[in-house]
Amino acid sequence: MKKQGSVFGDGGLGIFGGDEKKQENGSGIGVNSFLWRATLDTLSFMPLNSADPFGGVIITDWYSPAETPNERFKMTGYILGTALRSDAIKVAIFRQVRAGGNEWADAVVDPKTVTAMEDSILTRARQLRIDSANNQ
């Protein structure tokens, strides 16, 4: 019997990325695993709202530090690639201050705060990579 071909080729139609999303080390996530873990570790002081390891997005819920109960923060971390590089991580920080009662007003976030958070994540990712290499 003659084998029939597929309109989509031998591999079929890969609408969800298939093997392309897997890293070389077989972790099965679509982003750098060290940056992923480092972002989770660095943002662990805030309540987690959602985490998508395939899309590389970590979203926290609002967090009010005990020292400043009239302001709150929310962060989103984006892991943008599979390489452990500074341009593979982006953090967005949102800040609100109490406007009276249960109302909150958006406030400006110092760009240095965003840079410091990204640097902290990169430092942690490098530590994780070094620890991983030493354990092998």
Side-chain angles (χ1 to χ4, degrees):
M1 246 183 161
K2 184 179 174 185
K3 183 178 176 182
Q4 295 264 293
S6 170
V7 172
F8 301 110
D10 293 335
L13 176 63
I15 60 173
F16 296 111
D19 291 338
E20 294 173 3
K21 287 284 186 181
K22 292 186 179 180
Q23 287 186 320
E24 292 176 13
N25 64 3
S27 68
I29 64 173
V31 296
N32 182 283
S33 60
F34 299 118
L35 282 173
W36 176 257
R37 183 69 204 162
T39 304
L40 285 173
D41 288 354
T42 305
L43 300 181
S44 66
F45 70 96
M46 301 180 76
L48 187 65
N49 190 14
S50 70
D52 176 11
F54 300 103
V57 179
I58 298 170
I59 302 171
T60 70
D61 204 354
W62 289 105
Y63 168 76
S64 290
E67 311 83 47
T68 56
N70 289 326
E71 71 178 343
R72 65 184 186 174
F73 298 90
K74 184 175 187 169
M75 295 189 203
T76 303
Y78 302 96
I79 294 99
L80 304 172
T82 57
L84 179 51
R85 300 173 11 159
S86 62
D87 61 352
I89 183 73
K90 178 163 177 29
V91 173
I93 302 176
F94 306 94
R95 178 177 170 248
Q96 291 184 338
V97 294
R98 192 176 302 274
N102 280 340
E103 294 185 27
W104 294 88
D106 292 338
V108 176
V109 175
D110 186 351
K112 292 177 186 176
T113 305
V114 174
T115 302
M117 186 61 69
E118 291 173 349
D119 289 346
S120 179
I121 292 169
L122 284 166
T123 299
R124 178 69 180 135
R126 289 182 192 113
Q127 289 172 343
L128 291 170
R129 183 179 66 185
I130 289 168
D131 291 348
S132 174
N134 289 339
N135 289 335
Q136 291 181 358

